[in-house]
């Protein structure tokens, strides 16, 4: 397959060519992705805000507007996924938001010399929070908005600050109650169903193949009919699931564990499908021993695939022991085969892919940063590790956070010294528009300016029709529905829907103010903030050397190879703890850099790089798991007793050699060393072999 990396069929960037300092505006990622519309989320968020607005109209108590804002921001903060991971994030937003509202208002009352340093430091920390992933990035962005609004005007007393913080917390808790308990939405269910259907289709292929073996069919026509029917069915299921999974990734972000879990399960199924095709080709003219052995394996494989398909939907913890026994039984059936038999490597590959699929079926084992028992690492390690890994000038996240702080400082000072009702929109636009990379900032500025301008017109037209506070409050409900429903479709559409919502909310708080004047002020400040954001991203430590995705993957693999070499050398007393720490930080920065590039690719709704994107996502997730296992090496009490130093050296050489080969663009991996092994070593090997299975796709794109 020939891959086009540009509109003319040439690579995007060639050595020796003059680099473009500005992105191609025609190719900016501003195309809406209509598949990401979620009416249920829109209705839920609108309801959370509408009830508070109705209470405000009935009670006429101005602080309730703070509760309505908190409810809206909490709905925006919700990343989706398992409840046990969403609740801590949303409660954290509630607590931090309440403290920011109360504390920021009190500090603002002490004057700009006190409030300005606090606000700048807070914006730096909120921007730097993206080191913990997309969910933390969203949390930091919303806390930035809360902080800017909090220091907009001072609170005269501690009592008023406490009341306002409590009201904010109450509004946020109401939204959490609505989203977590009263009205739950399952955004990942379509992707899980699609991947489950792939495993069911594989079970059907396995059953039919086993039927041919039991009947002793040797007729070429029957085998061709089997291939024509079942291979097409499985391939259609895989491609359908691929579309659903990628759509989920685009809507939920590359750091979503649930979405990445579905992607790796799908990739594992795809590789297993290829192995079953090779098995059927072998068995069509296979020997009697090969057919009998394969028949026993396939008889166990079909129900195992069905269980794996069901567990994708149910996460049933009781099924794991049965799965382990079934995989062990399949491996035992193939063990008597001589190494020279062509069925032996095929059986081994089937077993290894099944073990990867089973590992992903255990939710605790999927999360990076867990020990061998699936327990999470200590809290301090989870907090300090990403921070230490990004405290280097090579980290784009650190440069971005500093850029935010430097650029926001004069904007905040201007709004504090030259105060008006709407000046905070300048700083909010600046912070929300600015991104770590020039192209993304251009796209965000374009969408925000255009969306705000159109949204201002909508707000003015609504104001002509809705002339009473009750009518305005009623109009806010459909606007809130649309705002939350399209938030993942397009940033421009989101801003177009959000602007009239904000304008009408301000009008309720300041009755008698012209909607036209509010809309014009918001549009003017948005345009100014967007232009400043673009200029700052271009002028302050810009990232002018975007690399191709395959090159970024190879760089990350090379960094993890150095981490593996240092970790094994430490076990062999051939390296120091400091050397391992430097290698670990290098691997962490490389992974963050890769994920930043993946995030840029994910915002391109056209989907022209889906195959390359999927391969990079699989490699990134595999590297994260490798890093977790490498970190657990020193915590494994059984490793020194089970694996002697000579075997550890053999494993070190194999792992580092395999990663070096992948980093150099070679997808072929040598067989594992025939020495003693432990569970941790086998898990690392599986992830390396999984990467080998997708690197060919990346390299074919690069060569094309």
């Amino acid at each position: 397959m020939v891959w086009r990396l540009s509109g003319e069929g040439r690579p995007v960037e060639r050595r020796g060519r003059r680099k473009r300092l500005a992105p191609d505006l025609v190719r900016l990622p501003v195309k809406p992705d209509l598949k990401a519309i979620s009416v249920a989320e829109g209705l839920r968020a609108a309801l959370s805000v509408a009830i508070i607005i109705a209470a405000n109209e009935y009670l006429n108590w101005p602080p309730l507007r703070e509760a309505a804002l908190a409810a809206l921001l909490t709905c925006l903060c919700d990343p989706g996924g398992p409840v046990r991971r969403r609740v801590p994030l949303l409660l954290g937003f509630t607590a931090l938001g309440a403290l920011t509202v109360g504390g920021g208002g009190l500090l603002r009352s002490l004057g700009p010399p006190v409030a300005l340093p606090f606000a700048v430091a807070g914006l730096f920390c909120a921007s730097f929070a993206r080191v913990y992933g997309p969910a933390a990035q969203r949390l930091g962005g919303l806390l930035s908005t809360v902080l800017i609004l909090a220091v907009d005007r001072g609170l005269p007393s501690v009592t008023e600050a406490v009341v306002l913080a409590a009201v904010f917390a109450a509004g946020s808790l109401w939204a959490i109650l609505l989203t977590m308990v009263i009205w739950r939405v399952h955004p990942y269910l379509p992707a899980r169903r699609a991947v489950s259907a792939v495993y069911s289709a594989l079970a059907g292929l396995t059953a039919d193949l086993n039927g041919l073996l039991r009947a002793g069919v040797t007729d070429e026509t029957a085998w061709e009919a089997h291939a024509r029917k079942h291979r097409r069915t499985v391939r259609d299921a895989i491609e359908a699931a691929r579309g659903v999974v990628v759509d989920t990734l685009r809507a939920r972000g590359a750091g979503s564990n649930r979405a990445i879990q579905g992607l790796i399960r799908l990739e594992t199924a795809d590789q297993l499908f290829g192995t079953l095709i090779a098995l059927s080709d072998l068995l069509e003219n296979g020997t009697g021993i090969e057919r009998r052995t394969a028949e026993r394996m396939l008889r166990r494989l079909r129900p195992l695939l069905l269980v794996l398909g069901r567990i994708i939907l149910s996460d049933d913890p009781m099924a794991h022991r049965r799965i382990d026994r079934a995989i062990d039984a399949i491996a035992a059936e193939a063990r008597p085969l001589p190494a020279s038999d062509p069925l032996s490597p095929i059986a081994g590959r089937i077993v290894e892919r099944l073990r990867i699929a089973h590992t992903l079926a255990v939710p605790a084992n999927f999360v990076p940063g867990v020990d061998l028992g699936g327990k999470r690492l200590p809290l301090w390690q989870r907090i300090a590790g990403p921070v230490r890994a990004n405290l280097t000038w090579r980290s784009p996240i650190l440069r971005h956070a500093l850029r935010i702080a430097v650029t926001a400082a004069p904007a905040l000072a201007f709004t504090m010294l030259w105060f008006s009702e709407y000046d905070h929109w300048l700083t909010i636009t600046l912070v929300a528009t600015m991104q770590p990379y020039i192209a993304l900032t251009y796209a965000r500025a374009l969408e925000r300016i255009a969306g705000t301008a159109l949204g201002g017109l909508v707000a003015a037209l609504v104001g002509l029709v809705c002339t009473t506070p009750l009518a305005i409050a009623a109009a806010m409900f459909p606007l809130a529905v649309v705002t939350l429903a399209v938030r993942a479709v397009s940033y421009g559409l989101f801003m177009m829907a959000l602007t009239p919502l904000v304008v009408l909310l301000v009008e309720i708080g300041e009755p008698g103010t012209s909607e036209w004047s509010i809309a014009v002020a918001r549009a003017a400040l948005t345009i100014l903030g967007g232009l400043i954001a673009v200029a700052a991203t271009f002028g302050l430590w810009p990232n002018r050397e975007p690399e191709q995705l395959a090159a970024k993957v190879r760089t990350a693999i090379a960094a993890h190879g150095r981490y593996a070499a240092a970790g094994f050398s430490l076990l062999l007393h051939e390296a120091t703890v400091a050397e391992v720490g430097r290698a670990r930080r290098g691997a962490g920065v490389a992974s963050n850099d890769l994920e930043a590039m993946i995030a840029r690719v994910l915002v391109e709704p056209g989907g022209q790089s889906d195959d390359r994107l999927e391969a990079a996502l699989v490699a990134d997730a595999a590297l994260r798991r490798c890093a977790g296992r490498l970190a657990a090496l020193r915590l494994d009490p059984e490793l020194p007793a089970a694996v002697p130093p000579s075997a550890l050296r053999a494993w070190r050489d194999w792992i580092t050699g395999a990663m070096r080969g992948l980093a150099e663009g070679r997808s072929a991996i040598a067989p594992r060393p025939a020495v003693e092994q432990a569970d941790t070593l086998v898990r690392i090997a599986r992830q390396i072999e999984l990467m080998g299975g997708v690197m060919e796709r990346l390299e074919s794109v690069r060569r094309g």
Side-chain angles (χ1 to χ4, degrees), residues 668-687:
I669 298 175
R672 299 179 191 176
V675 294
E676 292 87 344
Q677 59 186 18
D679 182 64
T680 299
L681 303 176
V682 173
R683 293 189 180 201
I684 295 174
R686 290 175 191 154
Q687 299 306 316

Side-chain angles (χ1 to χ4, degrees), residues 8 28 173 219 246 257 284 307 319 351 356 510 520 564 627 681:
E8 296 78 15
L28 285 178
L173 290 173
D219 179 55
V246 171
N257 281 338
E284 184 176 353
V307 171
V351 169
I356 291 175
E510 303 289 340
V520 170
L681 303 176

Side-chain angles (χ1 to χ4, degrees), residues 68-240:
L69 176 65
L72 177 63
L73 295 179
T74 302
C75 291
L76 291 174
C77 187
D78 185 8
V83 172
R84 64 181 180 277
R85 295 178 192 158
R86 293 160 62 194
V87 169
L89 180 75
L90 295 179
L91 290 179
F93 173 75
T94 301
L96 292 174
L99 289 173
T100 301
V101 166
L106 287 176
L107 291 175
R108 179 65 182 89
S109 65
L110 300 178
V114 176
L116 183 60
F118 165 77
V120 171
L123 291 177
F124 171 84
C125 294
S127 301
F128 194 67
R130 67 173 61 209
V131 299
Y132 297 108
Q137 175 183 338
R138 181 180 297 177
L139 171 67
L142 293 173
L143 285 176
S144 295
T145 300
V146 174
L147 175 60
I148 293 169
L149 293 174
V151 298
D152 195 42
R153 62 179 66 186
L155 297 176
S157 67
V158 175
T159 301
E160 188 171 343
V162 170
V163 170
L164 204 61
V167 170
F168 183 96
S172 182
L173 290 173
W174 154 243
I176 294 174
L177 178 66
L178 182 63
T179 56
M180 298 291 109
V181 180
I182 300 175
W183 189 347
R184 297 178 61 183
V185 177
H186 303 279
Y188 297 99
L189 187 57
R192 297 171 72 185
R193 283 175 174 165
V195 177
S196 176
V198 172
Y199 282 84
S200 298
L202 284 173
L205 182 150
T206 302
D208 193 64
L209 180 58
N210 193 32
L212 291 175
L213 293 178
R214 286 201 313 269
V217 176
T218 58
D219 179 55
E220 182 177 344
T221 304
W223 285 87
E224 287 180 355
H226 158 79
R228 190 165 49 250
K229 175 183 178 182
H230 289 282
R231 292 183 191 180
R232 183 181 61 192
T233 300
V234 176
R235 175 52 58 192
D236 288 346
I238 289 174
E239 295 309 315

